[in-house]
Amino acid sequence: MSYDGGVADPRAFGAALRAAREDAGLSLKRAAESIGVSHNALGNWELGKRKKRLPRATVEKLEATYGVDDRRLLIAGEYVAGAAPPVGEPQSLAYGGEPLTADETRDVLRFIDFVRSRRSG
């Protein structure tokens, strides 16, 4: 199954969505209501049944609803640079032999997005 010309695996992305929702303690119905979609739609996303990539704004809304501050959903869906960590595993970057904090990692990923946005514009 092609994923809108991208390389992200819809099933892996769906698993990341589900894990984030469950980590947030939200039911499928409650999460769907919070972002303004049907629970069937959200369930299908989590199962990897959507053939086209979700709009980035939707993924950002999901991250806000689930309290995700490390961009793991954007990374899993390949909306931003970085390797998606395995579901349930925190992403870890290092510089100079020292692991970066979650805040430093988030800042590095934002900077990468900024640099790439300037390249294509």
Side-chain angles (χ1 to χ4, degrees):
M1 170 183 353
S2 172
Y3 193 53
D4 193 35
V7 294
D9 176 356
R11 286 178 289 228
F13 178 62
L17 289 176
R18 182 177 181 169
R21 176 180 57 78
E22 289 176 346
D23 287 349
L26 293 172
S27 69
L28 187 67
K29 185 177 180 182
R30 177 70 181 114
E33 288 172 354
S34 294
I35 63 167
V37 299
S38 73
H39 68 280
N40 288 332
L42 182 55
N44 284 334
W45 300 348
E46 289 183 1
L47 293 172
K49 291 185 177 180
R50 183 177 170 94
K51 290 185 181 181
K52 292 190 176 186
R53 185 181 298 267
L54 292 173
R56 181 182 173 132
T58 300
V59 178
E60 289 172 340
K61 194 171 187 180
L62 286 162
E63 285 191 332
T65 299
Y66 298 160
V68 170
D69 63 359
D70 62 5
R71 305 183 79 176
R72 81 187 107 168
L73 298 180
L74 287 169
I75 293 168
E78 297 184 5
Y79 294 86
V80 297
V87 173
E89 294 284 325
Q91 181 175 0
S92 154
L93 296 176
Y95 180 75
E98 300 251 353
L100 300 180
T101 66
D103 289 341
E104 290 169 331
T105 298
R106 185 179 60 246
D107 291 344
V108 166
L109 294 174
R110 284 184 180 152
F111 181 73
I112 291 168
D113 282 347
F114 168 74
V115 169
R116 286 189 170 177
S117 72
R118 295 183 51 88
R119 197 174 9 161
S120 62

